[in-house]
Amino acid sequence: MAVLKGSVPIGEQFVFNLETNPTTGYEWKVKSDGGLSYKSWYEPDDNPGCLDGVGGTTFYAVGSDIPGRHIFILQSERSPDEIGDTFEVDLYVFPQCDSLYQQTWEGFNLSVVLSEEPGEPWEVAHDDGIECEAGIDEQNRPVLNLKAGPPGEYRLLLSRSEKMLALNLKVEPVENRKKVETVVGKTVSLTMDANITTGFRWVVVDDGGLICEDRYESDPNPGYLCGVGGKHIFEMTARAPGTYVLHAVYMRPWEEQGINSLEVVLTATEPAGNGTKTAALPEPMTVKGETRVRKEYVLKLKSNPTTGFKWKVVDDGGLHVKESYVSDTRNKSICGAGGTTIYKLAADTPGEYRFVAQYGRDWEDSPIKSIVLLLTVKPGFRLFR
């Protein structure tokens, strides 16, 4: 039995169609309307040659003024003893409500902010076959975290305090799929065409747990022509054996939707004869800064908590530390879009201070990167009369 799932607001109709061929004697009959009102009509296929046995399509429009789940069942039969196929429509009817629209790609993770204001989480009333979970993000905003299924259009319904919200989701096929093999600790590169003169660039939205550095290199341009493109290079390293999936989107930072997508499936194995040895951690990045007594020094670090990775202070060096996180609001509708971790550092006395932070996942033993800030704090200004 074939099953079609769908959803529709109260008062509107859900339309679907079935292939029909009256010349065979079989016809579709409603066995259970599930409390839905319906109408149907038949449209024959084009038959310019007036051939025998040409069929057509039967269309159905169903709907209801009663919210909830309705099961509409059709059966193809020629006589009471000759039963053909059975077709079921699992329809969720919901009250008229506000809607959100999102785009993503097959297999991508997506975190959708349902409200910019802090509040209680929504509950998923109808997932339309999408793997999803409602929750609260680090800024106490209600969000819906989901993993996109096959390409198509989906409608997810959420409820909260007798209110409803519809998320209309369009899942696009992934345009670029790459497979890469490497060994643990060895960096492997992947190159994609790009042209930042158009404003578009590749943005990693989920590194899949890889150590990933990316950069852009312009093509040779001896004539200094405008609009010459280049290459975007992804350099990926695995710290342990396994299969990793990296996702990236080709987009303009100031636009919410991308125009191209990339999925990299990287398989990492242990080096021959390496046993259980793991890759060495990358050397910490060292930066220098300068401020004055009781004046805050601001350190900004790119981060993406949706991947599980966070910055963590491992040595404050005796400094006063204020920490905050700011999402990249320009890319908030892009799958797994990240943001910036901000540290504001200050000291009460002059001197040399060493601040250390590491970027890693709480459930993993080792960070994937670290930073050392050597901060010089000078005496404050004095005013003389």
Side-chain angles (χ1 to χ4, degrees):
M1 179 177 64
V3 178
L4 174 64
K5 291 187 176 183
S7 59
V8 68
I10 285 177
E12 294 188 15
Q13 292 183 321
F14 179 78
V15 180
F16 64 96
N17 61 77
L18 297 169
E19 292 185 359
T20 310
N21 194 337
T23 65
T24 64
Y26 281 96
E27 60 179 319
W28 289 102
K29 293 187 177 180
V30 177
K31 306 305 292 184
S32 175
D33 62 19
L36 296 169
S37 60
Y38 66 92
K39 62 180 179 180
S40 64
W41 63 96
Y42 175 75
E43 295 183 3
D45 292 339
D46 292 337
N47 188 16
C50 300
L51 302 175
D52 294 332
V54 175
T57 304
T58 299
F59 292 85
Y60 291 86
V62 298
S64 177
D65 291 329
I66 302 174
R69 185 183 180 193
H70 301 262
I71 306 297
F72 188 81
I73 301 175
L74 292 157
Q75 197 169 66
S76 174
E77 58 183 61
R78 184 158 54 186
S79 69
D81 298 328
E82 295 181 281
I83 306 299
D85 297 330
T86 300
F87 188 84
E88 178 181 299
V89 177
D90 186 348
L91 186 67
Y92 190 92
V93 179
F94 61 95
Q96 296 283 349
C97 61
D98 293 335
S99 295
L100 295 176
Y101 298 87
Q102 294 290 328
Q103 173 203 13
T104 187
W105 287 267
E106 182 181 5
F108 276 40
N109 293 317
L110 176 64
S111 183
V112 182
V113 177
L114 303 176
S115 172
E116 292 292 345
E117 298 297 326
E120 62 178 307
W122 291 80
E123 293 184 0
V124 179
H126 176 68
D127 61 21
D128 207 6
I130 293 291
E131 181 182 339
C132 62
E133 182 179 8
I136 297 292
D137 69 2
E138 292 187 343
Q139 300 178 48
N140 203 32
R141 300 175 303 180
V143 295
L144 180 67
N145 300 310
L146 61 88
K147 184 178 181 64
E153 295 186 3
Y154 302 83
R155 178 184 279 148
L156 292 79
L157 302 173
L158 302 109
S159 63
R160 184 179 71 175
S161 302
E162 299 182 355
K163 295 181 180 180
M164 296 205 74
L165 177 68
L167 173 64
N168 297 295
L169 179 69
K170 185 174 183 181
V171 179
E172 304 278 5
V174 176
E175 292 90 342
N176 302 281
R177 296 182 185 271
K178 308 290 183 181
K179 290 186 177 181
V180 178
E181 294 182 357
T182 186
V183 297
V184 172
K186 181 179 179 180
T187 300
V188 62
S189 297
L190 176 70
T191 301
M192 296 293 295
D193 290 335
N195 190 340
I196 62 173
T197 67
T198 63
F200 285 97
R201 62 192 63 205
W202 285 102
V203 177
V204 176
V205 296
D206 187 354
D207 61 20
L210 292 166
I211 301 171
C212 180
E213 301 290 340
D214 59 296
R215 67 182 189 277
Y216 178 81
E217 293 184 358
S218 297
D219 290 338
N221 187 18
Y224 299 100
L225 301 176
C226 297
V228 173
K231 304 292 183 184
H232 194 107
I233 302 170
F234 299 90
E235 295 183 337
M236 299 163 289
T237 310
R239 296 187 298 115
T243 300
Y244 303 82
V245 181
L246 178 144
H247 287 138
V249 175
Y250 193 60
M251 61 175 295
R252 288 180 169 132
W254 60 87
E255 296 178 342
E256 294 188 346
Q257 305 295 351
I259 63 170
N260 208 339
S261 58
L262 169 68
E263 178 182 271
V264 181
V265 178
L266 183 145
T267 302
T269 57
E270 288 283 7
N274 195 35
T276 59
K277 183 180 178 181
T278 57
L281 294 176
E283 289 294 325
M285 177 175 61
T286 301
V287 296
K288 294 182 179 181
E290 185 177 294
T291 186
R292 292 188 179 272
V293 169
R294 297 187 182 88
K295 182 179 180 182
E296 290 182 330
Y297 177 87
V298 179
L299 177 64
K300 296 182 178 180
L301 302 171
K302 285 293 185 181
S303 57
N304 192 341
T306 66
T307 64
F309 286 98
K310 299 178 182 178
W311 284 101
K312 182 179 180 181
V313 178
V314 295
D315 185 0
D316 61 17
L319 294 164
H320 300 295
V321 180
K322 295 179 183 177
E323 179 180 347
S324 61
Y325 175 79
V326 178
S327 298
D328 188 348
T329 55
R330 296 171 302 175
N331 299 338
K332 63 183 179 181
S333 65
I334 296 297
C335 323
T340 304
T341 296
I342 301 173
Y343 291 109
K344 294 182 178 180
L345 312 172
D348 294 329
T349 57
E352 301 290 333
Y353 295 83
R354 184 175 183 270
F355 174 85
V356 182
Q358 294 178 339
Y359 191 59
R361 286 172 167 148
D362 292 337
W363 60 88
E364 295 179 341
D365 294 333
S366 303
I368 64 170
K369 65 175 81 171
S370 59
I371 186 168
V372 176
L373 169 65
L374 303 178
L375 184 64
T376 300
V377 179
K378 295 183 177 182
F381 290 108
R382 281 187 162 182
L383 297 178
F384 295 94
R385 292 184 179 179

